[in-house]
Amino acid sequence: MNGRNRKDLQPGLTVDIVLKADQRTGKLTRGIVKDILTNSSTHPHGIKVRLSDGQVGRVQVIHNHEK
């Protein structure tokens, strides 16, 4: 699952995001979604989310999609 569709995301999911500072390297940060920040239904670079620890980035991988 990639993180380009807003409908695939919900608070509580474990995801890998790319932080703004890591966009050049593509380094992924894993965390739990707290808030979905992108309003549009899709985004080519990934939906922007805030993790439970406060970090903000674009979703690249959704881990536990089926709950």
Side-chain angles (χ1 to χ4, degrees):
M1 271 267 137
N2 64 32
R4 294 186 184 144
N5 295 312
R6 194 175 194 279
K7 65 177 174 50
D8 294 338
L9 292 164
Q10 62 190 26
L13 289 178
T14 301
V15 296
D16 286 344
I17 65 169
V18 172
L19 302 172
K20 182 79 171 170
D22 295 331
Q23 282 178 346
R24 281 190 171 290
T25 63
K27 177 178 172 276
L28 298 177
T29 302
R30 184 164 297 180
I32 297 170
V33 176
K34 180 180 179 190
D35 302 308
I36 300 172
L37 304 177
T38 299
N39 288 324
S40 61
S41 61
T42 63
H43 192 283
H45 300 121
I47 299 296
K48 190 179 279 188
V49 298
R50 179 180 294 115
L51 300 180
S52 56
D53 64 3
Q55 296 184 95
V56 173
R58 295 197 180 275
V59 177
Q60 303 301 302
V61 181
I62 301 170
H63 288 287
N64 55 348
H65 181 67
E66 300 301 322
K67 279 209 148 194

